[in-house]
């Protein structure tokens, strides 16, 4: 295909710039051509006259172009958020300024990425002055995207010819993980931690940092009554304690091949990122130091420990563009790296696939060394397909074999988990919808029990 033919084809594909006839003009032209042919056959009119009449019709139709605004009479502006949370709906506005006295009918395609929801083409009628076009979109894949162009076609009210142009509108959008659960926790922590009808364990009385003296209420531990303040104020007063602040939390995020397994919404890595950010927000709100390490075959991201809610934005900007690697995760190399980077005692919170981790024998040696200084907790996602196979009733030989293999996998996992837990290395699995809640509740439980 030559360069000129590619340009012409591009115009018909809603690209480039140019002038094109509309369907209305083509229909009119075909009808008039048939009429001229019939007249010519009945009254013996020459072909030259018929051809001349067709040319006159085409030239007359071009008067329609005078009722279209010129290129310099139109200006465009796009308003789009700089950060979009994955799978959440956002509104995008396109402002069209028409400096000509002629209204027109338009069709528009914005140049947002293919991974975004695209409700195009958008059609409407633009009057004089300013016109505002709004559409909704959402992104399904995290990352940073550059939006460069907007494709625009417009016709006059007669609708015989249409102009098309490509407008350069440069914008940049970051698609970050869904922070709905993080916001829910920051808004109401206790309500967020209510799952499956259970409440998180309360702070042990008299353990941790002294917080305040308050009035005694029914249910308080009588041993915590402050008798000096009670005698002074002539009212029963009690001491209140809270977990010590300034502890170190290290969140490890596996980005290896198994984290690409698809779930109901997104994949494992998506759910892990959402849970990790929620734990980060909880720890920073409590005044703890948080560091984050993402890895697969090698270390991909390391965020040094820091405290304060401003650090949440640092973690978010470091993690939002993480992708699943095709390689298997190298737990031994990552734990060895962590041993050199994290010298202070901390909670090591690993988000990974439990079954894959149990097959990695070399990691046990590194974790046994890390355990002398750190507390290790691993959180994975339940394999719903495996559980489904275990609970199915076999109806034939094949289904019986599938069920027996699934049961074998479950037994292997239980046996290996017990071996690791005897070494003091805790492992839990959670449903995808409860991953963030369980991760935060275990973190708070560990803090409340002063295990760090």
């Amino acid at each position: 295909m030559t360069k000129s033919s590619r340009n012409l084809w591009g115009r018909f594909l809603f690209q480039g710039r140019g002038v094109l006839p509309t369907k209305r003009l083509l229909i009119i032209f075909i009808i008039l051509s048939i009429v001229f042919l019939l007249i010519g056959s009945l009254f013996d009119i020459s072909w030259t006259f018929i051809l001349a009449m067709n040319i006159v019709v085409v030239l007359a139709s071009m008067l329609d172009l005078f009722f279209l605004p010129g290129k310099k009479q139109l200006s465009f502006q796009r308003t789009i958020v700089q950060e979009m949370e994955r799978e959440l709906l956002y509104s995008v506005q396109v402002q069209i300024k028409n400096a000509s006295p002629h209204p027109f009918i338009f069709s528009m395609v914005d140049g947002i990425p293919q991974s975004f929801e695209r409700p195009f083409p958008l059609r409407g009628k633009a009057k004089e002055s300013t016109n505002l076009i709004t559409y909704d979109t959402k992104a399904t894949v995290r990352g940073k995207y550059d939006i460069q162009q907007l494709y625009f076609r417009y016709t006059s009210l007669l609708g015989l010819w249409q102009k098309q142009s490509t407008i350069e509108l440069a914008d940049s959008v970051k698609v970050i993980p869904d922070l709905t659960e993080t916001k829910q926790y920051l808004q109401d922590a206790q309500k967020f931690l209510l799952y499956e009808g259970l409440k998180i364990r309360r702070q042990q009385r008299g353990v941790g940092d002294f917080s305040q003296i308050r009035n005694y209420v029914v249910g308080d531990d009588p041993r915590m009554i402050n008798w000096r303040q009670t005698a002074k104020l002539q009212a029963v007063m009690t001491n209140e304690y809270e977990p010590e602040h300034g502890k170190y939390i290290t969140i490890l995020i596996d980005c290896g091949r198994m984290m690409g397994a698809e779930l109901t919404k997104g994949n494992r890595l998506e759910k892990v990122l959402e849970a990790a950010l929620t734990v980060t927000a909880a720890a920073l709100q409590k005044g703890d130091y948080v560091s984050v390490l993402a890895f697969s075959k090698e270390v991909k991201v390391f965020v040094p420990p820091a405290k304060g809610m401003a650090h949440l934005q640092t973690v978010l900007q470091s993690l939002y563009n993480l992708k699943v690697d095709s390689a298997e995760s190298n737990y031994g190399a990552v734990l060895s790296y962590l041993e050199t980077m994290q010298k202070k005692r901390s909670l090591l919170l690993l988000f990974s696939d439990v079954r894959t981790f149990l097959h990695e024998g070399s990691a046990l040696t590194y974790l046994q060394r890390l355990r002398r200084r750190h507390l290790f907790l691993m959180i994975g996602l339940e394999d719903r397909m495996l559980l489904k196979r275990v609970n199915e009733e076999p109806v034939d030989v094949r289904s019986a074999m599938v069920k027996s293999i699934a049961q074998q996998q479950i037994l292997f996992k239980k046996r290996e988990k017990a071996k690791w837990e005897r070494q003091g290395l805790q492992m839990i699995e959670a449903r995808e919808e409860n991953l963030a809640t369980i991760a935060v509740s275990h973190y708070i439980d560990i803090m409340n029990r002063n295990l760090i």
Side-chain angles (χ1 to χ4, degrees):
M1 186 180 288
T2 63
K3 184 177 180 180
S4 59
S5 61
R6 283 198 302 267
N7 291 339
L8 182 61
W9 181 244
R11 292 180 182 181
F12 282 99
L13 292 178
F14 219 126
Q15 299 174 4
R17 298 174 174 83
V19 179
L20 294 172
T22 62
K23 291 181 180 179
R24 181 179 296 180
L25 176 59
L26 295 176
I27 292 172
I28 292 174
F29 184 77
I30 291 171
I31 292 173
L32 289 177
S33 298
I34 293 172
V35 171
F36 287 146
L37 288 173
L38 291 174
I39 293 174
S41 61
L42 292 175
F43 297 100
D44 195 21
I45 300 174
S46 66
W47 287 102
T48 304
F49 177 78
I50 294 174
L51 181 61
M53 291 301 296
N54 284 332
I55 293 173
V56 169
V57 170
V58 173
L59 293 175
S61 69
M62 287 187 176
L63 294 173
D64 182 47
L65 295 174
F66 291 99
F67 297 97
L68 282 174
K71 178 182 176 182
K72 295 183 179 180
Q73 293 177 308
L74 294 178
S75 60
F76 300 83
Q77 183 179 353
R78 182 196 298 115
T79 303
I80 187 170
V81 295
Q82 300 302 305
E83 286 188 349
M84 300 175 64
E85 295 180 33
R86 194 182 71 88
E87 291 289 354
L88 296 188
L89 208 61
Y90 289 86
S91 292
V92 181
Q93 292 183 339
V94 178
Q95 188 182 78
I96 305 171
K97 289 186 179 180
N98 180 15
S100 74
H102 306 297
F104 58 87
I105 298 170
F106 67 87
S107 180
M108 181 185 75
V109 172
D110 204 355
I112 60 177
Q114 293 293 331
S115 59
F116 284 49
E117 191 175 90
R118 297 167 57 86
F120 303 125
L122 300 175
R123 296 183 172 87
K125 181 179 179 181
K127 301 178 181 179
E128 301 87 346
S129 68
T130 303
N131 302 269
L132 196 62
I133 313 302
T134 303
Y135 68 90
D136 294 329
T137 186
K138 63 181 178 181
T140 57
V141 181
R142 290 176 293 100
K144 185 176 182 180
Y145 299 93
D146 292 324
I147 306 173
Q148 300 291 345
Q149 296 171 328
L150 183 146
Y151 306 102
F152 196 74
R153 279 184 177 180
Y154 57 104
T155 63
S156 72
L157 296 181
L158 294 177
L160 300 179
W161 291 89
Q162 62 183 356
K163 288 184 178 180
Q164 63 179 13
S165 57
T166 302
I167 298 94
E168 297 295 331
L169 291 177
D171 282 296
S172 180
V173 177
K174 291 180 179 179
V175 179
I176 61 177
D178 185 357
L179 301 178
T180 302
E181 291 178 314
T182 304
K183 294 173 183 175
Q184 288 175 351
Y185 175 83
L186 294 175
Q187 183 178 3
D188 190 339
Q190 188 58 60
K191 184 178 179 181
F192 173 79
L193 293 171
L194 290 174
Y195 66 94
E196 298 182 356
L198 299 176
K199 282 191 176 182
I200 186 172
R201 296 179 186 176
R202 299 182 63 185
Q203 164 69 23
Q204 292 181 3
R205 294 296 181 183
V207 179
D209 290 337
F210 173 77
S211 176
Q212 63 179 344
I213 299 175
R214 58 170 175 79
N215 288 323
Y216 179 88
V217 295
V218 177
D220 285 338
D221 189 345
R223 293 173 295 178
M224 294 301 106
I225 295 176
N226 189 315
W227 295 108
R228 178 175 295 180
Q229 289 296 319
T230 298
K232 183 177 180 180
L233 299 176
Q234 297 298 308
V236 181
M237 307 297 291
T238 185
N239 295 334
E240 188 174 79
Y241 296 84
E242 62 182 13
E244 296 178 8
H245 300 313
K247 300 296 181 67
Y248 282 78
I249 315 298
T250 302
I251 298 175
L252 307 174
I253 300 175
D254 184 2
C255 302
R257 181 179 63 86
M258 293 304 296
M259 300 306 288
E262 292 294 325
L263 303 174
T264 307
K265 291 181 65 177
N267 56 31
R268 288 180 177 177
L269 182 59
E270 301 294 349
K271 297 303 297 183
V272 161
L273 285 176
E274 294 168 11
L277 289 169
T278 306
V279 175
T280 300
L284 293 174
Q285 190 183 55
K286 296 288 186 182
D288 294 329
Y289 291 85
V290 178
S291 60
V292 180
L293 190 152
F295 67 95
S296 58
K297 189 176 181 180
E298 57 187 16
V299 175
K300 297 166 69 72
V301 173
F302 178 68
V303 182
K307 67 176 182 177
M309 292 305 296
H311 187 54
L312 179 61
Q313 191 61 221
T314 303
V315 173
L316 176 61
Q317 296 304 318
S318 300
L319 300 182
Y320 82 93
N321 204 17
L322 283 177
K323 307 295 183 186
V324 176
D325 286 350
S326 58
E328 298 289 347
S329 299
N330 189 343
Y331 296 101
V334 170
L335 294 173
S336 177
Y337 173 84
L338 182 65
E339 192 174 13
T340 62
M341 297 299 295
Q342 184 58 276
K343 298 296 184 181
K344 295 188 177 181
R345 178 171 173 79
S346 66
L347 167 63
L348 304 182
L349 187 58
L350 171 62
F351 289 95
S352 183
D353 178 58
V354 172
R355 186 167 55 173
T356 304
F357 186 79
L358 292 175
H359 284 281
E360 187 67 32
S362 62
L364 182 59
T365 305
Y366 291 100
L367 281 173
Q368 285 174 336
R369 291 208 305 262
L370 287 170
R371 179 176 169 270
R372 300 169 189 169
R373 182 181 299 169
H374 307 288
L375 178 66
F376 177 81
L377 172 63
M378 179 179 181
I379 301 180
L381 283 160
E382 286 183 351
D383 190 336
R384 288 195 171 183
M385 183 58 67
L386 189 64
L387 294 175
K388 180 182 176 182
R389 296 300 187 192
V390 169
N391 295 325
E392 282 181 349
E393 289 294 331
V395 294
D396 52 25
V397 174
R398 183 180 181 278
S399 60
M401 292 179 63
V402 170
K403 180 171 182 175
S404 64
I405 293 172
Q407 290 174 329
Q408 184 182 18
Q409 291 292 323
I410 294 290
L411 290 174
F412 169 79
K413 187 187 295 185
K414 287 182 178 179
R415 184 173 62 251
E416 291 299 311
K417 281 177 66 176
K419 182 181 75 175
W420 286 73
E421 287 170 355
R422 283 195 297 270
Q423 302 291 330
L425 307 173
Q426 301 179 56
M427 293 182 179
I428 58 174
E429 287 186 291
R431 295 181 179 178
E432 58 179 284
E433 62 270 18
N434 291 334
L435 181 63
T437 308
I438 290 176
V440 173
S441 63
H442 275 77
Y443 152 73
I444 295 179
D445 184 48
I446 289 171
M447 295 297 108
N448 284 350
R449 293 161 58 193
N450 280 305
L451 298 179
I452 300 297

